[in-house]
Amino acid sequence: MADIDSKFESATPIGVTTGPIRGSRKIHVATQTGSGIRVAMREIDLDPHSGEPPVRVYDTSGPYTDANATIDINAGLPEIRADWIRNRGDVQEVTQREVKPEDNGQLGPDRSGGVPAFPNVRRQVLRAKPGANVSQMHYARRGIITPEMEYVAERENLGRARLSEYKRDGESFGASIPDYVTPEFVRDEVARGRAIIPSNINHPESEPMAIGRNFLVKINANIGNSAVASDVAAEVDKMVWSIRWGADTVMDLSTGRNIHDTREWIIRNSPVPIGTVPIYQALEKVGGVAEDLTWEIFADTLIEQAEQGVDYFTIHAGVRLPYVPLAAKRMTGIVSRGGSIMAKWCLAHHKESFLYERFDEITEIMKAYDVAYSLGDGLRPGSIYDANDEAQFAELYTLGELTKRAWAQDVQVMIEGPGHVPMHKIKENMEKQLEACGEAPFYTLGPLTTDIAPGYDHITSGIGAAQIGWYGTAMLCYVTPKEHLGLPDRDDVKVGVVTYKLAAHAADLAKGHPAAQVRDDALSKARFEFRWRDQFNLSLDPDTAEQYHDQTLPAEGAKTAHFCSMCGPKFCSMKISQEVREFAAKQNQPAENFIAAEEAEKLVPSEVEAGMAEMSELFKETGSELYMGAGGREHD
Amino acid sequence: MADIDSKFESATPIGVTTGPIRGSRKIHVATQTGSGIRVAMREIDLDPHSGEPPVRVYDTSGPYTDANATIDINAGLPEIRADWIRNRGDVQEVTQREVKPEDNGQLGPDRSGGVPAFPNVRRQVLRAKPGANVSQMHYARRGIITPEMEYVAERENLGRARLSEYKRDGESFGASIPDYVTPEFVRDEVARGRAIIPSNINHPESEPMAIGRNFLVKINANIGNSAVASDVAAEVDKMVWSIRWGADTVMDLSTGRNIHDTREWIIRNSPVPIGTVPIYQALEKVGGVAEDLTWEIFADTLIEQAEQGVDYFTIHAGVRLPYVPLAAKRMTGIVSRGGSIMAKWCLAHHKESFLYERFDEITEIMKAYDVAYSLGDGLRPGSIYDANDEAQFAELYTLGELTKRAWAQDVQVMIEGPGHVPMHKIKENMEKQLEACGEAPFYTLGPLTTDIAPGYDHITSGIGAAQIGWYGTAMLCYVTPKEHLGLPDRDDVKVGVVTYKLAAHAADLAKGHPAAQVRDDALSKARFEFRWRDQFNLSLDPDTAEQYHDQTLPAEGAKTAHFCSMCGPKFCSMKISQEVREFAAKQNQPAENFIAAEEAEKLVPSEVEAGMAEMSELFKETGSELYMGAGGREHD
């Protein structure tokens, strides 16, 4: 479905956005091992006259963009991982925990909130056999390469087929990015805790992906239920719309009514890992009174969500009683909802957090389903003023302690980070996280690099996200233009996702990620050769690129014209550049032999004369066709 | 005038956008010297109940946002610098060069292009007396502090009155930013060539501003004439609209017909320095045939524009004959229009560039009017692939050579920079520029940090702009969402300006610019205290901030409500944070005495117990009002 003016597009019969992303095809690439595993990617065909090969790009959109797929949200997605999970022989079927009214935030037994239960919801779900550990980390540490790891390796190798054409380049700040990703490399990274593959055994619909400093930088989009969710498809489409534009994972931050049923609909239809903050639902179950929270209610909520298939849980176990008062002298106190809930509980009971004290018991639950930890930064700064303060770092070091405790049980962990941080304080966050948390993947919100631009915080934070991604952050949690002001609509979500996708890619380029530049080069070459359609199709948002172009030059002919609206048909620097190239080509020597650039500034007149004479000679050979057209494209 | 839905707003009688920026007042602050000079600023009053002082912000918008000003674009702006210029006694009146038809790109004598001449255009213009040099640099080097320097000092000291409240912080990469800016400091920076004050003696309407690494980071917006300019006010309003949102200078990149007359209208009504690329108009005069350009035509164009009052000229004198072939092996060749014009001329004549060979003669003209150089980077990279190549740096070192030649005649210089550069190659650009060009101010376009997001290049470049601004770039040339695709409309211009304004501010924060954080802190405090109106008014774009807020909570009451749409009335982490603060305040010891954060990770159980007991005691004293409300605002 085209996305131009998405607000006004009519819903498809199945109620979610489907159809190929403009100018590309879904493909499924077999892994090298011959295991029969096929990895979903997107391929962009370029103008046949260009002689350029198709460009393969990473694809998070799942079957929704596959022209050959049939989408039925009442049935959910195919369970591509079902056999992989069962064939490991370490899971058992158990009867799913009975859904209670309070799971949907209702006092009575009715489900009058407008959200029907997912049809044929599983009565039987999976759990590790007694004593077993089904986490990817556990397999990795025992030397087992899982199909999930194999899938990830092929997926991450994107573009590396052309690696020989590239000289590796970049500053990775100590990362260890290989030329080629092997399944063994993935296993080793997961075993060391430097990467996670969120893959709950009850979410077999998910396409495996890795979050780690030595892989492509990932992004997360947040969604939440509407106050009155009368249309289930609309709730599911928030997820579908996010992954269409590039969200690698989606967090369901729903609160209030119907969150259990809404979550079931989302997970059954999601090809990407789903994250949640279980304390939100637990709080609903005690009527919103933080001090009434108990370990039993919380643990029951973890099992409820683990059985549905949530892939990672944000757990704010680092908000310890002694740290709470450190927030007192802050400009903006505690800005994390989960953090403030736990702070309130700790003060109410003058007790240490039960999340901290029961951490090993939580880990026991996580490993029975392979739910990954996303250790929450409940004390992250909410303003430039509060950045990098002692409350923030006290919590970070506790998260490091908890990381090691989770790893002791082979449970996967990533660490959440800020927030609001001025540029000169960003690197310290990355360095302290790597040191405190043993290189566990860092997952940051922005950070926002200034507080003065509400309405543009996708940009104030995109600046910080690109930098911290370059420094080593593995996943960037998006921020929309509505941050601090209101609830994002469909267009805000798209702008947030695309902004973070470009920030993540800028980070991959700067880290020297192999072949990350393939797409930049393909687009630049298309730009230079006036292949407008290829330019649009290679961009992160082909619909908007074409829409902007057509606002100035609507005619179809303009898409093949050898000029653009900035300079018009008369002037074009691309044209003279091509002439310069022909000029150089006609010589029997490479252009740089005219003169070495390093020598340029040292030129003395006589040498200049010599250079000119040489040029003059060469000119006479090349003739006058060199001298047609002129002009330029960008500013001056 | 409100800006919501600017596209649809009806034009005011005088045809340009006027009226205060929402929530602020224009003020005029007297300088400390008692000279009577008064500096225009904007003051934002905060909620009287907050007890917060008004916040003064840098203001580029001129009289257009002054409720007490009468705007008449037929008369032009008041000439605030007229007496300053004349009182120096080194200028003479000369008859303005006769306007020729080709000045307006017309073959015939008529001015049928739809742009009338500016009413009462000056017959007499100013020029330095024979042998005199009227450049700010010349005065500075003779130890003279001009009123322009005094104005700049006061303007830059913004917020420093509250400096005592701030601990200076930041990484400035070798900049020398003083706690307070004195007129003497400004003089010294201009004398050393580290800052420029673009101030053509024929543009007395301009409010003095400085471009330099030790001052606030500035931004430039580009405007150009419409193909058919039937409405002069619309052309002038492009400039007025740009400065309303924060453009510190505006470049008129018009080509084709009527550019002389359009330029006169813009300069007579502009309170900010105006820059141009004279080669564009010179090319028009020779019918667009680059090889027909001559020194005589170019020099005549410089005088034509200098007499009108253009404050800085982009001169592509660094595109030397020997460098042209270096562009041959590039992905995207030469992307600078001026650069390609000169490349074409050089090859056509097999001669060194006349701009390079006649550079000292150009400088003679510049110093007679105090036009500053903006030495153009005609060989800047147009793609990630071409970043930091030998063509680019060969030109940069030549610009360094030319800088010293201009300084030899006391003429002000800044240096233009790229372009398209991945993050890990940005710093090298800054370091080489500082070294090659003796710390002359750097003026960069972006740079764009990836090529894969056309439609979002204000963001791909905003990321690079914030970084290079942090590293030391003095002025950032904006990029709009339409870059590479089409011509920006009114909304694109605003988005581009605000994006660059926030990038420049993020750079000021990271450089540790004194009191740059005053505005961030004021906004964060307003956010924490739910002063919604103050939040909107303190933001870079109050109209959009309020518009976004109202999309979710339109009611006027919501602007005073102690909650926001993200969490609703029930949950609010700000609330519990305030409770935590009260809790700490009730104690006779500061919060951090509970426990030192640095000690946190080393806690042993017994100490934890002790800490808890202490908390417990304190709690009993403070009572239960601590335990109301909970929740949070941002993601998780």
Side-chain angles (χ1 to χ4, degrees):
Chain A
M1 177 190 296
D3 164 46
I4 293 176
D5 261 340
S6 56
K7 269 179 312 192
F8 306 117
E9 83 198 351
S10 57
T12 58
I14 49 91
V16 297
T17 311
T18 58
I21 292 167
R22 187 176 293 223
S24 67
R25 289 177 286 106
K26 174 85 67 177
I27 59 171
H28 295 86
V29 179
T31 60
Q32 326 243 325
T33 63
S35 62
I37 294 174
R38 294 168 69 244
V39 180
M41 299 181 182
R42 215 155 48 85
E43 193 158 80
I44 301 165
D45 290 317
L46 304 183
D47 184 332
H49 303 102
S50 70
E52 292 289 315
V55 176
R56 287 183 179 177
V57 297
Y58 198 98
D59 178 31
T60 60
S61 61
Y64 299 96
T65 54
D66 187 343
N68 304 318
T70 308
I71 301 297
D72 174 7
I73 64 170
N74 293 298
L77 296 178
E79 302 184 350
I80 67 169
R81 294 173 52 228
D83 293 343
W84 307 350
I85 293 163
R86 288 172 184 276
N87 293 346
R88 289 192 273 256
D90 51 7
V91 297
Q92 59 182 341
E93 287 199 341
V94 296
T95 304
Q96 182 170 180
R97 170 189 169 286
E98 196 60 42
V99 178
K100 307 168 189 171
E102 57 265 37
D103 298 348
N104 281 302
Q106 286 142 6
L107 306 177
D110 70 290
R111 290 183 168 186
S112 55
V115 177
F118 182 73
N120 344 306
V121 65
R122 297 168 183 149
R123 294 274 157 266
Q124 297 297 98
V125 296
L126 299 181
R127 180 186 302 165
K129 286 177 179 170
N133 181 338
V134 297
S135 81
Q136 292 288 319
M137 184 180 218
H138 186 64
Y139 302 130
R141 287 182 163 182
R142 285 184 302 157
I144 298 169
I145 295 174
T146 62
E148 286 86 351
M149 298 170 195
E150 185 181 329
Y151 191 104
V152 162
E154 188 64 34
R155 198 173 192 181
E156 291 276 338
N157 270 329
L158 199 83
R160 283 169 159 99
R162 296 175 57 183
L163 194 57
S164 55
E165 305 165 32
Y166 287 83
K167 183 163 58 56
R168 282 195 63 174
D169 176 19
E171 165 56 62
S172 71
F173 301 102
S176 309
I177 303 167
D179 281 353
Y180 291 92
V181 178
T182 62
E184 168 56 23
F185 177 79
V186 177
R187 185 204 61 74
D188 187 57
E189 289 293 292
V190 172
R192 294 169 66 161
R194 288 204 302 206
I196 67 171
I197 303 176
S199 37
N200 185 318
I201 55 175
N202 288 310
H203 187 198
E205 303 89 349
S206 69
E207 299 171 352
M209 54 79 71
I211 300 167
R213 180 167 160 235
N214 295 321
F215 299 97
L216 292 161
V217 175
K218 306 302 190 298
I219 70 168
N220 171 75
N222 297 325
I223 61 174
N225 56 332
S226 308
V228 177
S230 55
D231 177 5
V232 165
E235 296 299 313
V236 172
D237 195 48
K238 291 174 183 173
M239 175 274 295
V240 172
W241 184 246
S242 303
I243 64 176
R244 181 178 181 88
W245 299 112
D248 293 283
T249 75
V250 169
M251 289 194 78
D252 175 8
L253 303 182
S254 298
T255 58
R257 291 160 72 90
N258 313 306
I259 53 181
H260 177 97
D261 289 333
T262 303
R263 188 187 308 124
E264 187 75 23
W265 280 98
I266 291 168
I267 296 172
R268 295 287 73 78
N269 287 285
S270 175
V272 304
I274 298 295
T276 63
V277 187
I279 200 80
Y280 291 180
Q281 186 176 16
L283 189 66
E284 297 288 346
K285 293 177 180 178
V286 294
V289 184
E291 49 268 47
D292 292 352
L293 282 168
T294 65
W295 161 249
E296 291 66 28
I297 290 167
F298 185 75
D300 180 60
T301 304
L302 295 183
I303 290 164
E304 171 192 353
Q305 297 195 11
E307 288 185 346
Q308 287 186 290
V310 174
D311 300 284
Y312 63 88
F313 288 153
T314 292
I315 305 285
H316 297 93
V319 181
R320 297 190 52 193
L321 176 64
Y323 307 158
V324 176
L326 298 178
K329 57 182 172 173
R330 281 182 154 182
M331 171 78 73
T332 49
I334 300 174
V335 294
S336 154
R337 175 187 288 188
S340 60
I341 291 168
M342 290 313 300
K344 187 162 159 54
W345 188 94
C346 289
L347 292 181
H349 298 280
H350 349 302
K351 275 227 205 89
E352 183 55 273
S353 160
F354 64 83
L355 298 179
Y356 179 80
E357 300 217 306
R358 304 279 199 145
F359 189 76
D360 294 332
E361 292 166 75
I362 296 172
T363 307
E364 289 284 345
I365 296 169
M366 309 289 264
K367 74 182 180 188
Y369 305 90
D370 195 11
V371 181
Y373 274 111
S374 184
L375 292 176
D377 57 334
L379 297 178
R380 69 169 169 275
S383 57
I384 293 297
Y385 182 92
D386 292 341
N388 296 19
D389 71 354
E390 58 184 341
Q392 181 193 337
F393 287 137
E395 179 185 40
L396 178 62
Y397 279 94
T398 296
L399 297 184
E401 167 205 335
L402 296 173
T403 299
K404 291 163 187 64
R405 280 164 62 182
W407 283 353
Q409 293 194 61
D410 296 352
V411 167
Q412 306 191 94
V413 180
M414 62 180 167
I415 309 294
E416 295 184 9
H420 294 240
V421 185
M423 285 190 286
H424 65 293
K425 292 184 176 179
I426 291 175
K427 202 156 189 297
E428 182 184 15
N429 279 272
M430 191 70 230
E431 289 164 348
K432 277 194 156 65
Q433 189 273 341
L434 288 171
E435 179 235 320
C437 305
E439 295 190 84
F442 204 21
Y443 167 32
T444 63
L445 175 70
L448 285 72
T449 53
T450 170
D451 296 331
I452 69 169
Y456 300 79
D457 279 335
H458 58 303
I459 304 178
T460 62
S461 67
I463 290 167
Q467 281 185 38
I468 204 162
W470 176 22
Y471 299 150
T473 289
M475 185 157 77
L476 308 169
C477 183
Y478 90 159
V479 171
T480 77
K482 292 280 175 64
E483 182 73 19
H484 299 118
L485 297 170
L487 299 173
D489 62 22
R490 185 176 171 86
D491 289 345
D492 296 319
V493 166
K494 180 181 174 181
V495 167
V497 168
V498 174
T499 297
Y500 270 65
K501 208 70 183 172
L502 70 85
H505 184 73
D508 287 333
L509 284 176
K511 287 170 78 174
H513 200 98
Q517 204 178 306
V518 168
R519 191 172 181 176
D520 297 76
D521 292 351
L523 194 145
S524 295
K525 197 163 193 299
R527 182 172 282 158
F528 184 71
E529 295 171 359
F530 297 100
R531 285 182 274 116
W532 288 99
R533 185 71 64 190
D534 289 349
Q535 249 189 94
F536 305 148
N537 295 345
L538 286 163
S539 69
L540 289 178
D541 179 0
D543 300 320
T544 297
E546 179 157 0
Q547 184 183 24
Y548 284 0
H549 172 271
D550 290 358
Q551 283 175 18
T552 312
L553 290 174
E556 189 53 35
K559 296 193 183 55
T560 54
H562 274 215
F563 62 87
C564 59
S565 55
M566 281 68 78
C567 306
K570 190 172 175 188
F571 295 133
C572 181
S573 68
M574 293 302 186
K575 201 136 177 288
I576 190 172
S577 298
Q578 286 162 335
E579 291 163 1
V580 169
R581 186 173 296 182
E582 291 155 20
F583 179 58
K586 286 205 174 91
Q587 306 151 17
N588 294 328
Q589 54 181 326
E592 56 271 38
N593 290 2
F594 275 93
I595 184 164
E598 296 68 18
E599 298 305 313
E601 76 208 84
K602 311 198 204 76
L603 278 176
V604 296
S606 64
E607 288 166 339
V608 179
E609 302 297 345
M612 289 179 189
E614 185 176 16
M615 293 279 288
S616 172
E617 280 315 305
L618 287 160
F619 165 68
K620 292 184 184 118
E621 299 156 17
T622 58
S624 64
E625 72 283 1
L626 174 64
Y627 308 108
M628 300 166 59
R633 295 178 61 260
E634 286 177 358
H635 140 273
D636 91 10
Chain B
M1 177 190 296
D3 164 44
I4 293 175
D5 260 341
S6 55
K7 267 178 312 190
F8 307 116
E9 83 198 351
S10 57
T12 57
I14 49 90
V16 298
T17 310
T18 59
I21 292 168
R22 187 174 294 222
S24 67
R25 290 178 286 106
K26 173 85 67 178
I27 59 171
H28 295 85
V29 179
T31 59
Q32 326 245 324
T33 63
S35 63
I37 295 174
R38 293 168 70 245
V39 179
M41 298 182 183
R42 214 155 50 84
E43 193 158 79
I44 301 165
D45 291 318
L46 304 183
D47 183 333
H49 303 101
S50 70
E52 293 288 315
V55 176
R56 288 183 179 178
V57 298
Y58 198 98
D59 179 31
T60 59
S61 60
Y64 300 97
T65 54
D66 187 343
N68 305 319
T70 307
I71 300 299
D72 175 7
I73 63 170
N74 293 297
L77 295 179
E79 302 184 349
I80 66 169
R81 294 173 53 228
D83 292 343
W84 306 349
I85 294 164
R86 289 173 183 276
N87 292 347
R88 288 192 274 257
D90 51 8
V91 298
Q92 59 183 342
E93 287 200 341
V94 297
T95 303
Q96 182 169 182
R97 169 187 169 287
E98 194 61 42
V99 178
K100 308 168 187 170
E102 57 266 36
D103 298 346
N104 281 302
Q106 286 142 4
L107 305 177
D110 70 290
R111 290 183 169 184
S112 55
V115 177
F118 183 74
N120 347 306
V121 66
R122 299 170 180 147
R123 295 274 156 264
Q124 295 298 97
V125 295
L126 298 182
R127 180 186 302 164
K129 286 177 178 169
N133 180 339
V134 297
S135 83
Q136 291 289 318
M137 186 180 214
H138 186 63
Y139 302 131
R141 287 182 163 183
R142 286 183 301 155
I144 298 169
I145 294 174
T146 63
E148 286 85 351
M149 298 170 194
E150 186 181 328
Y151 191 103
V152 162
E154 188 63 34
R155 198 172 192 181
E156 292 277 338
N157 270 329
L158 199 81
R160 282 166 157 104
R162 296 175 57 182
L163 195 57
S164 55
E165 304 165 33
Y166 287 83
K167 181 163 60 56
R168 282 196 62 174
D169 177 19
E171 165 55 61
S172 71
F173 301 102
S176 310
I177 303 166
D179 281 352
Y180 291 92
V181 178
T182 62
E184 168 57 23
F185 177 80
V186 177
R187 185 204 61 74
D188 187 58
E189 289 292 294
V190 172
R192 296 169 65 160
R194 288 204 301 207
I196 67 172
I197 302 175
S199 37
N200 185 319
I201 56 175
N202 288 310
H203 187 198
E205 302 90 349
S206 70
E207 298 172 353
M209 54 79 71
I211 301 167
R213 181 168 159 232
N214 295 322
F215 299 97
L216 291 162
V217 176
K218 306 302 190 298
I219 69 168
N220 171 74
N222 298 324
I223 61 174
N225 56 331
S226 308
V228 178
S230 55
D231 178 3
V232 165
E235 297 298 315
V236 172
D237 195 48
K238 291 174 184 174
M239 175 273 294
V240 172
W241 185 246
S242 303
I243 64 176
R244 181 178 181 87
W245 299 112
D248 294 284
T249 76
V250 169
M251 289 194 77
D252 175 8
L253 303 182
S254 297
T255 58
R257 292 160 72 90
N258 313 306
I259 53 181
H260 177 97
D261 289 333
T262 303
R263 187 187 308 125
E264 186 75 24
W265 280 97
I266 291 169
I267 296 172
R268 295 287 73 79
N269 287 285
S270 175
V272 305
I274 297 295
T276 62
V277 187
I279 199 83
Y280 290 0
Q281 186 177 16
L283 190 66
E284 297 288 346
K285 294 178 180 178
V286 294
V289 183
E291 50 268 46
D292 292 350
L293 282 168
T294 65
W295 160 248
E296 291 67 27
I297 289 167
F298 185 75
D300 180 61
T301 304
L302 295 183
I303 290 164
E304 171 192 352
Q305 297 195 12
E307 288 185 347
Q308 285 186 292
V310 174
D311 300 284
Y312 62 88
F313 288 153
T314 292
I315 305 284
H316 295 93
V319 180
R320 297 191 51 193
L321 177 64
Y323 306 157
V324 175
L326 297 178
K329 57 183 169 171
R330 280 182 154 182
M331 171 77 72
T332 48
I334 300 173
V335 295
S336 155
R337 175 186 288 187
S340 59
I341 292 168
M342 290 314 299
K344 187 163 158 55
W345 188 94
C346 290
L347 292 180
H349 298 279
H350 352 301
K351 278 227 206 92
E352 183 55 272
S353 159
F354 64 83
L355 297 179
Y356 179 79
E357 300 218 306
R358 304 278 200 146
F359 189 76
D360 294 333
E361 292 166 77
I362 296 171
T363 307
E364 289 285 344
I365 297 170
M366 307 290 264
K367 74 181 180 188
Y369 304 90
D370 195 12
V371 181
Y373 274 111
S374 184
L375 292 175
D377 58 333
L379 298 177
R380 69 170 168 275
S383 57
I384 293 296
Y385 183 92
D386 292 339
N388 295 20
D389 71 354
E390 58 184 340
Q392 181 193 336
F393 287 136
E395 178 185 42
L396 178 61
Y397 280 94
T398 296
L399 297 185
E401 167 204 336
L402 296 173
T403 298
K404 291 165 186 62
R405 279 164 63 181
W407 284 352
Q409 292 194 61
D410 296 351
V411 167
Q412 306 190 96
V413 180
M414 62 180 166
I415 309 294
E416 295 184 10
H420 294 241
V421 186
M423 285 191 285
H424 65 293
K425 293 185 176 178
I426 291 175
K427 201 157 190 299
E428 181 184 15
N429 279 272
M430 191 70 231
E431 289 165 347
K432 277 193 155 65
Q433 188 272 343
L434 288 171
E435 179 235 322
C437 305
E439 296 189 83
F442 205 22
Y443 168 30
T444 64
L445 174 70
L448 284 71
T449 53
T450 170
D451 296 331
I452 69 169
Y456 299 79
D457 279 335
H458 58 303
I459 304 177
T460 62
S461 67
I463 290 168
Q467 282 185 37
I468 205 162
W470 176 22
Y471 299 151
T473 289
M475 185 158 75
L476 308 169
C477 183
Y478 90 158
V479 171
T480 77
K482 292 281 175 63
E483 182 74 20
H484 299 119
L485 296 170
L487 300 173
D489 61 22
R490 183 176 171 86
D491 290 344
D492 296 319
V493 166
K494 180 181 174 182
V495 168
V497 169
V498 174
T499 297
Y500 271 65
K501 208 70 184 170
L502 71 86
H505 185 73
D508 287 332
L509 284 175
K511 286 170 78 175
H513 200 98
Q517 204 178 307
V518 168
R519 191 172 182 177
D520 296 77
D521 292 350
L523 193 145
S524 295
K525 198 163 192 302
R527 183 172 281 157
F528 184 71
E529 295 171 0
F530 296 100
R531 286 182 272 117
W532 288 100
R533 184 70 64 191
D534 289 349
Q535 249 189 94
F536 305 148
N537 294 345
L538 286 163
S539 68
L540 289 178
D541 179 1
D543 299 320
T544 298
E546 179 158 359
Q547 183 183 24
Y548 283 1
H549 173 271
D550 290 358
Q551 283 174 20
T552 312
L553 290 175
E556 189 53 34
K559 297 193 182 57
T560 55
H562 272 214
F563 62 87
C564 59
S565 55
M566 280 70 78
C567 306
K570 190 171 173 190
F571 295 133
C572 181
S573 68
M574 294 302 187
K575 201 138 179 288
I576 190 172
S577 297
Q578 285 162 334
E579 291 163 2
V580 168
R581 187 174 295 182
E582 290 155 21
F583 179 58
K586 286 206 174 91
Q587 305 150 19
N588 293 330
Q589 54 182 325
E592 56 272 34
N593 291 1
F594 275 93
I595 185 165
E598 295 70 16
E599 298 306 313
E601 75 209 86
K602 311 198 205 78
L603 277 177
V604 293
S606 65
E607 287 167 340
V608 179
E609 303 297 346
M612 290 179 190
E614 186 176 14
M615 293 278 288
S616 174
E617 280 314 303
L618 287 161
F619 165 70
K620 294 189 183 108
E621 300 157 17
T622 58
S624 64
E625 72 283 1
L626 174 64
Y627 308 108
M628 299 166 59
R633 295 180 61 261
E634 286 177 359
H635 139 274
D636 92 8

